[in-house]
């Protein structure tokens, strides 16, 4: 049993600890109405506004007019969100259905005491403390399910800085094909520009890809691109694990992603369309990919038609300028050619039409040309049974 | 890319025709009927060849599936709950099959107990859109996963035989 004196002592200690914690929060800064260029220690934006004086960015304050959606706030997304927060972005919309786990601690941003919290909630708390000027919307759900997808589309198309305007850019920081495809579907339907990002499961390569529906290749136009790291997939040791990750590769990809975002939003430098990162060889392939006229996604094909119309309506001068931007053949500098063991016709049927890629980038897999004849299996026959009857039959088995 | 055993498994499962996702209204109902036809045939074949290993059913909309799968190891039957959602991008992307009760028990899983498919599965699926359906995902995704993981988990003592499962 503790004596009253001991308990009182304990209360004193706890009170002082509480006081310290409280003062920590109070020390956080207040909102700032206008971004100032004044170079003083107390101005959180002084080094960013200096970009203007240096002639890099014309009008840095515009950063506050933009809303960016970050889908997936894991190893890449959380760091990207922090970068944008520190840059003073106007609004962030965060989507993720995951919780913070101790297994995440090899990556940046989250801290052990946040384990168990939803990632979006933990992220919002930290980010608001770093920069209270940023507006947040957070959604703790899986975007690929039917129930959530429509809401996700609504927030992309109406969650801009002014309600009912679209967000300015969507950043895909998810870790799986299904979620990327869902973002692709949404963005093709909405004509929303987005940047896809990814880190390989062996943690030694990554990429970003800027997707403008109709103008550049969408995520469904071709099989996913991978940066060739010359590690043999067959010898890759997968014993007992699904994925490895490194804080370095993830932070580098997050850096590429946000750099590209800033360049696009604030109009400086050249915006990258595809930028790969091969960590083993320090190689950074870049390229531009045109959309596939036979893309599986109807909305992608619609966007392509609309883009063609817009292009045709533009004065000629502009068209020529664009052509200059779209350099696709820097690969010939290296004298690299695709050499095949099978005939061109054979490989075309087996692998489909694959566009030429820059050196160091390949498709994750190939898809055969769609044809009805090569189906070896039996296809389902027409049935007179109703769905309910089929469901009952299945249950009765 | 496809080995002989996989080819044989595949040949037994009827292919689907309609490319439709749960957002496609009537077309989805058509796809759902095909899914059920293909699944019923597959289960019937499994039963006939004494290799019955799962049951599935869905909600009315066919967007959420649940059921049981089992694996026989040294004459004992180990049974697990199976569940998955049909994503809005289906059938372009395969369903992510989950065994929630094994979540955290093996590294060959993603959060929520979603099984880690082999490197071959996704390319194979992508090459066969929209012909592959849920029955294919079970046969080529969950089947091989159980065959590799369950004996290993039993050996390590992570999962134990339950009397109840045997009575069924």
């Amino acid at each position: 049993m503790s004596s009253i004196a001991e308990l009182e002592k304990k209360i004193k200690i706890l009170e002082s600890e509480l006081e310290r914690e409280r003062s920590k929060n109070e020390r956080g800064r207040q909102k700032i109405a206008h971004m100032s260029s004044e170079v003083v220690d107390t101005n959180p934006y002084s080094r960013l506004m200096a970009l203007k004086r240096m002639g890099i960015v014309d009008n840095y304050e515009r950063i506050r007019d933009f809303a960016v959606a970050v889908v997936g706030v894991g190893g890449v997304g959380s760091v990207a969100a922090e970068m944008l927060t520190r840059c003073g972005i106007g609004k962030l919309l965060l989507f993720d259905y995951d919780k913070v786990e101790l297994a995440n601690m090899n990556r940046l941003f989250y801290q052990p005491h946040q384990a168990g919290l939803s990632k979006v909630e933990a992220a919002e708390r930290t980010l608001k403390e770093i920069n209270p000027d940023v507006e947040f919307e957070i959604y703790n759900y899986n975007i690929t399910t039917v129930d959530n997808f429509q809401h996700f589309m609504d927030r992309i198309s109406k969650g801009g800085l002014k309600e009912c305007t679209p967000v300015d850019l969507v950043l895909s920081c998810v870790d799986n094909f299904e979620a990327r495809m869902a973002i692709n579907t949404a963005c093709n339907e909405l004509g929303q520009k987005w940047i896809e990002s990814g880190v390989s499961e062996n943690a030694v390569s990554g990429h970003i890809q800027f997707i403008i529906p109709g103008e550049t290749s969408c995520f469904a136009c071709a099989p996913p691109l991978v940066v060739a790291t010359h590690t043999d997939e067959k010898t890759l040791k997968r014993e007992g694990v699904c994925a490895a990750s490194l804080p370095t590769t993830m932070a580098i990809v997050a850096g590429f992603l946000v750099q590209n975002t800033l360049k696009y939003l604030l109009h400086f430098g050249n915006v990258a369309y595809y930028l790969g990162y091969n960590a083993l060889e320090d190689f950074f392939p870049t390229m531009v990919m045109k959309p596939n006229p036979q893309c599986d996604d109807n909305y992608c094909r619609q966007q392509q038609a609309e883009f063609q119309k817009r292009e045709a309506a533009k004065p000629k001068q502009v068209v020529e300028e664009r052509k200059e931007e779209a350099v696709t053949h820097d690969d010939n500098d290296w004298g690299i050619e695709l050499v095949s063991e099978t005939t061109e016709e054979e490989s075309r049927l087996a692998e489909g039409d694959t566009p030429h890629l820059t050196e160091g980038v390949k498709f994750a897999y190939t898809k055969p040309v769609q044809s009805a004849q090569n189906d070896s299996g039996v296809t389902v026959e027409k049935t007179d049974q109703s769905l309910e009857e089929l469901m009952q039959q299945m249950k009765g088995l | 890319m496809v080995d002989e055993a996989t080819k044989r498994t595949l040949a037994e499962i009827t292919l689907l025709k309609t490319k439709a996702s749960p957002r496609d209204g009537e077309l989805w109902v058509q796809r759902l009927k095909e899914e059920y036809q293909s699944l019923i045939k597959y289960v019937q074949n499994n039963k006939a060849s004494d290799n019955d290993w799962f049951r599935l059913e869905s909600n009315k909309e066919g967007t959420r599936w649940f059921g049981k799968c089992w694996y026989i190891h040294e004459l004992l039957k180990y049974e697990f709950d199976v569940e998955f959602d049909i994503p809005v991008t289906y059938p372009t992307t395969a369903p992510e099959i989950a065994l929630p009760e094994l979540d955290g028990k093996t590294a060959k899983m993603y959060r929520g107990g979603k099984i880690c498919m082999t490197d071959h599965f996704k390319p194979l699926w992508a090459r066969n859109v929209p012909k592959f359906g849920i029955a294919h995902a079970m046969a080529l995704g969950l089947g091989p996963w159980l065959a590799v993981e369950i004996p290993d988990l039993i050996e390590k003592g992570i999962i134990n035989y339950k009397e109840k499962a045997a009575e069924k």
Side-chain angles (χ1 to χ4, degrees):
Chain A
M1 276 289 271
S2 325
S3 71
I4 288 176
E6 275 170 5
L7 285 173
E8 277 176 346
K9 208 171 143 195
K10 187 143 196 203
I11 286 171
K12 275 241 161 70
I13 294 168
L14 289 173
E15 272 176 347
S16 71
E17 254 176 49
L18 186 65
E19 192 56 40
R20 240 180 297 145
E21 281 301 314
R22 276 194 181 140
S23 70
K24 243 190 228 171
N25 292 337
E26 277 163 19
R27 243 181 285 152
R29 73 169 171 87
Q30 299 300 304
K31 287 193 182 192
I32 295 171
H34 295 285
M35 273 193 179
S36 143
S37 319
E38 203 187 354
V39 184
V40 286
D41 292 349
T42 52
N43 178 8
Y45 297 117
S46 66
R47 302 296 158 93
L48 291 165
M49 295 293 274
L51 287 166
K52 280 167 61 172
R53 295 192 187 180
M54 300 242 172
I56 301 294
V57 181
D58 287 341
N59 192 357
Y60 190 85
E61 299 97 305
R62 284 196 60 212
I63 190 90
R64 287 195 153 184
D65 302 337
F66 299 116
V68 173
V70 180
V71 189
V73 283
V76 173
S78 63
V79 177
E82 178 173 345
M83 286 175 176
L84 288 167
T85 300
R86 290 183 187 273
C87 284
I89 194 85
K91 179 175 176 183
L92 282 177
L93 295 90
L94 309 178
F95 298 85
D96 200 307
Y97 69 93
D98 222 356
K99 283 193 168 74
V100 180
E101 283 169 13
L102 289 177
N104 303 141
M105 294 308 140
N106 70 322
R107 280 150 270 173
L108 305 184
F109 192 72
Y110 293 110
Q111 301 194 9
H113 70 84
Q114 292 171 315
L117 281 176
S118 78
K119 284 186 177 171
V120 286
E121 202 182 319
E124 186 192 26
R125 277 191 211 170
T126 309
L127 296 174
K128 269 191 165 162
E129 214 166 288
I130 292 171
N131 188 345
D133 298 331
V134 182
E135 214 181 293
F136 286 93
E137 256 182 52
I138 58 167
Y139 298 102
N140 182 23
Y141 60 54
N142 179 354
I143 62 160
T144 70
T145 64
V146 183
D147 298 340
N148 300 325
F149 187 72
Q150 191 55 49
H151 185 265
F152 171 66
M153 292 239 297
D154 283 349
R155 292 326 297 154
I156 297 301
S157 56
K158 300 190 187 111
L161 211 56
K162 288 193 200 92
E163 184 62 27
C164 288
T165 60
V167 300
D168 296 282
L169 196 62
V170 174
L171 303 183
S172 159
C173 306
V174 297
D175 62 359
N176 63 87
F177 181 67
E178 292 74 18
R180 286 189 175 92
M181 234 9 158
I183 298 170
N184 189 62
T185 303
C187 290
N188 275 339
E189 287 189 31
L190 299 168
Q192 172 67 53
K193 293 176 185 176
W194 62 292
I195 311 181
E196 135 68 10
S197 75
V199 174
S200 65
E201 291 200 331
N202 63 8
V204 289
S205 70
H207 70 272
I208 62 162
Q209 184 180 352
F210 190 20
I211 297 173
I212 306 173
E215 188 175 336
T216 68
S217 173
C218 90
F219 195 71
C221 278
L225 295 165
V226 291
V227 177
T229 46
H230 308 293
T231 45
D232 189 350
E233 265 89 48
K234 288 186 195 82
T235 60
L236 188 66
K237 291 196 174 110
R238 281 186 159 264
E239 253 345 272
V241 285
C242 277
S245 65
L246 279 169
T248 46
T249 314
M250 292 202 150
I252 287 164
V253 169
F256 279 161
L257 182 64
V258 177
Q259 195 81 293
N260 215 39
T261 302
L262 294 175
K263 288 199 290 184
Y264 165 69
L265 293 176
L266 299 173
H267 302 293
F268 66 99
N270 296 323
V271 175
Y273 286 92
Y274 179 93
L275 171 56
Y277 171 46
N278 170 345
L280 298 181
E281 290 164 2
D282 285 330
F283 181 60
F284 305 85
T286 60
M287 62 177 175
V288 187
M289 260 177 56
K290 291 211 177 97
N292 175 1
Q294 276 103 43
C295 181
D296 270 350
D297 190 316
N298 297 338
Y299 285 96
C300 174
R301 296 198 307 271
Q302 269 181 37
Q303 295 286 356
Q304 289 182 44
E306 274 164 41
F307 172 69
Q308 298 297 345
K309 248 188 256 167
R310 284 199 304 275
E311 281 301 282
K314 276 185 189 171
K316 247 194 178 140
Q317 220 182 344
V318 183
V319 177
E320 270 169 14
E321 210 177 53
R322 243 201 61 74
K323 263 187 187 163
E324 263 181 3
E325 273 173 41
V327 178
T328 46
H329 290 295
D330 10 7
D331 49 347
N332 281 338
D333 290 352
W334 302 78
I336 302 288
E337 276 181 79
L338 290 176
V339 180
S340 175
E341 288 172 0
T342 48
T343 67
E344 263 180 43
E345 181 61 9
E346 275 173 353
S347 67
R348 201 188 68 81
L349 287 173
E351 304 188 341
D353 294 313
T354 52
H356 281 263
L357 300 176
T358 191
E359 196 212 352
V361 182
K362 56 178 187 173
F363 289 110
Y365 47 82
T366 55
K367 278 201 221 171
V369 169
Q370 290 292 344
S371 74
Q373 318 141 342
N374 64 3
D375 289 353
S376 48
V378 188
T379 309
V380 284
E381 280 162 25
K382 267 217 155 140
T383 176
D384 296 329
Q385 283 175 293
S386 71
L387 183 57
E388 288 70 29
E389 283 166 345
L390 286 167
M391 284 179 168
Q392 274 311 315
Q393 194 187 341
M394 183 78 192
K395 261 191 198 170
L397 282 170
Chain B
M1 193 192 296
V2 184
D3 60 62
E4 283 308 310
T6 314
K7 269 189 187 158
R8 243 174 293 130
T9 316
L10 276 176
E12 287 165 13
I13 306 171
T14 43
L15 298 168
L16 284 68
K17 285 186 281 201
T18 309
K19 187 182 174 206
S21 91
R23 297 170 71 221
D24 291 330
E26 270 309 302
L27 217 51
W28 170 243
V29 176
Q30 179 55 36
R31 168 87 191 187
L32 204 51
K33 281 169 78 172
E34 294 178 11
E35 293 283 4
Y36 268 103
Q37 283 176 272
S38 178
L39 275 167
I40 289 166
K41 188 82 194 299
Y42 181 45
V43 172
Q44 283 170 341
N45 283 351
N46 286 343
K47 280 175 131 177
S49 59
D50 200 22
N51 181 32
D52 195 19
W53 67 279
F54 74 88
R55 283 292 177 280
L56 276 179
E57 56 184 292
S58 73
N59 61 356
K60 210 166 83 264
E61 297 78 20
T63 52
R64 183 151 187 80
W65 291 72
F66 44 90
K68 301 225 177 272
C69 66
W70 50 93
Y71 186 80
I72 312 284
H73 182 74
E74 289 173 351
L75 303 175
L76 296 176
K77 185 174 166 186
Y78 296 82
E79 193 175 85
F80 309 98
D81 287 333
V82 192
E83 61 176 48
F84 55 90
D85 289 303
I86 297 294
V88 288
T89 46
Y90 190 80
T92 303
T93 65
E96 297 179 280
I97 298 170
L99 306 177
E101 64 201 281
L102 296 184
D103 191 14
K105 292 188 175 174
T106 158
K108 298 263 185 79
M109 260 184 177
Y110 297 112
R111 72 213 138 201
K114 288 175 183 168
I115 63 166
C116 186
M117 302 283 198
T118 66
D119 279 354
H120 297 106
F121 179 76
K122 282 183 182 178
L124 190 59
W125 182 277
R127 291 173 72 95
N128 287 284
V129 175
K131 293 176 285 175
F132 276 12
I134 292 165
H136 295 87
M138 294 296 280
L140 299 169
L142 183 59
W145 190 93
L146 291 173
V148 172
E149 289 305 307
I150 300 307
D152 188 49
L153 288 169
I154 294 168
E155 202 177 302
K156 287 180 182 156
I158 296 169
I159 50 178
N160 295 302
Y161 177 68
K162 284 180 235 152
E163 284 294 323
K164 224 177 82 191
E167 285 164 20
K168 280 201 170 177

